[in-house]
């Protein structure tokens, strides 16, 4: 089955700096890659996703890039704010016909004021 | 106006007991899921239902039994609870017509503690 690895496991950044989280996946047939943000005591929240026909997607301060050849994708958060502090998860799925999301182990992001 | 809701939010029980967690979504989605998040925050799919039909059944002990009375509800019943069942259980749903794992929306979670 699909195996998703996520790095780093923890990330501390100064407010205003950028944060980058990287994930790799094992199944070259995967074509859907969402990112989730989980705040303390809450459920994961979908913040951005990308499909394999797109190399990059941006939504305000967050962006995701995908390199299908290398089988890795990354989340970039610019101008970090204290409210960006949370656990971030990447995930992968084969797309149509596959209802399963395989998650990375998560990255705990702390934004220092 | 909650999109995906779960009850109860906290559940503390003793080993050997049977308990249920309920999930409801008002998004009009037709696919629902149960996930388990362990103490290290790792999220793993347990079950998925599409239009009340079981489509994912991961390697989960038979003590766990999902039930979907209709497209808006997916309940999880656990028999003979064990210490290792302690975790946070999340319900999720995804929109119709996708036939995939696209755009899953998660509930707030149920923290189960088995003593």
């Amino acid at each position: 089955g699909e195996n998703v690895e996520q790095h780093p496991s923890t990330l501390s950044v100064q407010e205003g700096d950028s944060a980058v989280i990287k994930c790799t996946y094992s199944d070259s047939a995967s074509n859907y890659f969402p990112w989730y943000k989980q705040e303390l005591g809450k459920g994961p929240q979908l913040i951005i996703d990308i499909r394999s026909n797109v190399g990059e997607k941006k939504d305000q301060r967050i962006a995701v890039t995908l390199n299908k050849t290398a089988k890795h994708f990354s989340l970039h958060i610019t101008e970090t704010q204290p409210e960006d502090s949370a656990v971030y998860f990447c995930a992968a799925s084969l797309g149509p016909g596959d209802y399963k999301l395989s998650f990375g182990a998560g990255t705990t992001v702390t934004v220092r004021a | 106006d909650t999109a995906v809701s779960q009850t109860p939010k906290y559940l503390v029980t003793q080993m050997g007991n049977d308990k249920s967690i309920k999930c409801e979504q008002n998004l009009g989605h037709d696919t629902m899921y149960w996930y388990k998040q362990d103490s290290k925050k790792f999220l793993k799919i347990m079950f998925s239902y599409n239009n009340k039909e079981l489509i994912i059944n991961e390697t989960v002990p038979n003590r766990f039994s999902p039930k979907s009375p209709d497209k808006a509800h997916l309940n999880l019943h656990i028999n003979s609870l064990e210490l290792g069942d302690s975790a946070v259980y999340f319900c999720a749903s995804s929109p119709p017509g996708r036939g995939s794992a696209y755009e899953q929306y998660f509930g707030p979670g149920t923290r189960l503690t088995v003593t």
Side-chain angles (χ1 to χ4, degrees):
Chain A
E2 176 67 276
N3 182 43
V4 178
E5 295 193 355
Q6 184 172 346
H7 299 280
S9 57
T10 61
L11 181 60
S12 179
V13 297
Q14 189 69 35
E15 183 178 358
D17 288 349
S18 295
V20 181
I21 304 169
K22 298 182 179 181
C23 289
T24 60
Y25 59 97
S26 60
D27 193 335
S28 57
S30 289
N31 73 353
Y32 175 63
F33 308 93
W35 286 87
Y36 284 83
K37 175 185 180 182
Q38 186 177 20
E39 296 176 337
L40 196 61
K42 296 185 178 181
Q45 176 191 7
L46 179 65
I47 56 172
I48 195 167
D49 58 12
I50 193 168
R51 301 181 193 184
S52 61
N53 58 343
V54 175
E56 183 173 355
K57 185 176 178 181
K58 190 173 181 180
D59 183 5
Q60 298 181 6
R61 294 186 298 108
I62 60 173
V64 57
T65 59
L66 171 65
N67 183 328
K68 285 221 74 178
T69 303
K71 291 190 286 186
H72 69 69
F73 55 113
S74 301
L75 178 72
H76 303 251
I77 307 172
T78 58
E79 301 174 20
T80 53
Q81 300 168 3
E83 53 264 37
D84 294 329
S85 295
V87 180
Y88 291 81
F89 294 94
C90 63
S93 173
L94 297 177
D98 179 27
Y99 288 85
K100 182 178 175 181
L101 278 179
S102 297
F103 282 86
T107 297
T108 300
V109 174
T110 303
V111 179
R112 307 186 307 272
Chain B
D1 60 343
T2 304
V4 182
S5 59
Q6 296 178 228
T7 54
K9 187 165 176 64
Y10 301 96
L11 186 53
V12 181
T13 188
Q14 291 184 328
M15 283 195 311
N17 285 348
D18 303 338
K19 289 294 178 186
S20 292
I21 306 172
K22 295 186 175 182
C23 178
E24 177 182 4
Q25 55 90 7
N26 62 4
L27 296 166
H29 291 176
D30 64 353
T31 306
M32 297 184 72
Y33 312 78
W34 277 111
Y35 285 86
K36 179 179 180 180
Q37 186 172 50
D38 62 22
S39 59
K40 295 185 178 181
K41 297 279 189 185
F42 189 70
L43 273 164
K44 186 165 171 53
I45 183 78
M46 299 173 68
F47 303 101
S48 177
Y49 273 75
N50 176 253
N51 285 317
K52 302 196 298 174
E53 179 183 347
L54 183 65
I55 55 171
I56 295 177
N57 186 351
E58 289 292 285
T59 308
V60 177
N62 291 337
R63 300 181 294 103
F64 290 79
S65 55
K67 282 187 174 55
S68 182
D70 56 56
K71 288 193 294 185
H73 296 84
L74 180 62
N75 304 322
L76 183 66
H77 189 74
I78 316 169
N79 290 327
S80 304
L81 278 155
E82 301 177 357
L83 291 176
D85 298 332
S86 295
V88 181
Y89 292 85
F90 287 101
C91 177
S93 69
S94 58
R98 309 300 176 95
S100 68
Y102 294 169
E103 297 178 32
Q104 292 187 23
Y105 292 81
F106 283 74
T110 295
R111 181 175 293 277
L112 172 64
T113 303
V114 183
T115 62

